[in-house]
Amino acid sequence: MFQKIIAILKQPHPGYPNLSGYFKTVGAISIVVFLILSFLQPFNIGHQNIEGNTFLTALIYASGAAIVMSINSLWLLLLPSWFKNWTLGKDLLVLFYQLMSIGVGLWLINSYAEASARQGYTRAIFLAFAIGILPYVIVTVFKHSRYLRESLKQAELMNLQLKAVQAGHPPLFAKPEDKSLFLVVPKPGIRIPVPDFLYAESKGNNLHVFWLDKEELKTEIFRCTIHEFTERNTIHSSFFRCHRSYIVNMDKVQQIQGNAAGYQLILHPQLMPVTVARSYVQAFKKHLEQ
């Protein structure tokens, strides 16, 4: 059960590709917060209006949330590598942090405006979570749908490119003389022909290599890092590093799939799709155009 939860939290999730995307999300969430506070006024917010003005109160609270989330954008600059490969778990962690920060901001606003002598820090945190969840869900669903449409459209174009290259240059990238070559692996007794290689996955200091032996799926674990494997097999132009943990044989890509988090490569019906990390997408597109 615990492993299933971990697997779910590690699933790719639409994140923040850049500061522009982050601030667009902040703006959208702030607008939804303003509308909710202006017209729905949940949790008796209407009884705590600043200056007796509903829209002014909604504007101040929404602006406060926007300012807090904008300040939190500093994390994107301080920890850029942490935001590259976005997952559901990271998104939930950031959501919790954002709502806690917004709760502190609401508490400071109420303390300054003296909106309610009885409203303390705990209630401010409660309001931040109770009211903030809905705007987050609305914006995330919208963002997910938009990213999905864009990825599906791009994946369709990529598949056309892939088929065109395959039709014009069989096999896809490999040269005729590469047919007799074998992968350079730490175990000399194992011979894996380059045309049969599917992909390799790094797990710690071990490398899981998948290939086909007369249409039969084979796998072997080597004591080797993906960087060492790449260095030993640099001559093969069909190999592409699509993720920090994966290197694939572009000759064996059967289909490119798009989802809200990016792209996935189908190499064999019995294998899970291989993810193209967001930081590798541009290089992947250029590789297809070669």
Side-chain angles (χ1 to χ4, degrees), residues 212-229:
L212 292 175
D213 184 7
K214 298 179 181 179
E215 302 303 321
E216 181 182 356
L217 185 62
K218 297 282 188 177
T219 182
E220 184 70 33
I221 300 176
F222 299 98
R223 188 70 175 177
C224 171
T225 66
I226 195 168
H227 177 73
E228 292 170 343
F229 177 84

Side-chain angles (χ1 to χ4, degrees), residues 264-277:
Q264 293 181 324
L265 309 179
I266 306 298
L267 291 110
H268 193 275
Q270 297 179 25
L271 295 173
M272 294 292 292
V274 174
T275 299
V276 179

Side-chain angles (χ1 to χ4, degrees), residues 29 32-34 36-37 40-50 57 61-62 65 95-96 98-111 115-116 118-136:
I29 290 176
V32 176
V33 169
F34 173 78
I36 290 175
L37 295 179
L40 299 180
Q41 298 186 3
F43 306 105
N44 296 320
I45 290 291
H47 297 293
Q48 302 163 3
N49 285 333
I50 301 173
T57 303
Y61 284 168
L95 172 63
F96 179 82
Q98 294 275 37
L99 293 177
M100 287 293 294
S101 302
I102 292 170
V104 174
L106 291 179
W107 175 68
L108 292 174
I109 291 173
N110 289 329
S111 299
S116 173
R118 293 174 299 175
Q119 181 167 323
Y121 176 75
T122 303
R123 177 166 172 78
I125 295 295
F126 167 76
L127 290 175
F129 276 82
I131 298 174
I133 289 294
L134 182 59
Y136 165 79

Side-chain angles (χ1 to χ4, degrees), residues 179-210:
K179 288 283 189 178
S180 60
L181 295 179
F182 295 87
L183 292 181
V184 180
V185 293
K187 297 180 182 179
I190 297 180
R191 294 166 63 86
I192 304 174
V194 170
D196 295 335
F197 170 67
L198 295 175
Y199 77 94
E201 178 183 5
S202 175
K203 292 185 178 181
N205 291 324
N206 292 326
L207 193 72
H208 296 241
V209 176
F210 299 83

Side-chain angles (χ1 to χ4, degrees), residues 117-171:
R118 293 174 299 175
Q119 181 167 323
Y121 176 75
T122 303
R123 177 166 172 78
I125 295 295
F126 167 76
L127 290 175
F129 276 82
I131 298 174
I133 289 294
L134 182 59
Y136 165 79
V137 171
I138 292 174
V139 173
T140 298
V141 170
F142 176 80
K143 185 169 66 172
H144 186 282
S145 300
R146 183 168 65 86
Y147 285 166
L148 179 59
R149 289 195 301 270
E150 292 178 356
S151 294
L152 289 175
K153 183 178 180 180
Q154 288 295 321
E156 185 177 355
L157 294 175
M158 289 180 186
N159 279 305
L160 291 175
Q161 283 182 309
L162 189 64
K163 290 178 181 178
V165 177
Q166 287 175 335
H169 304 279

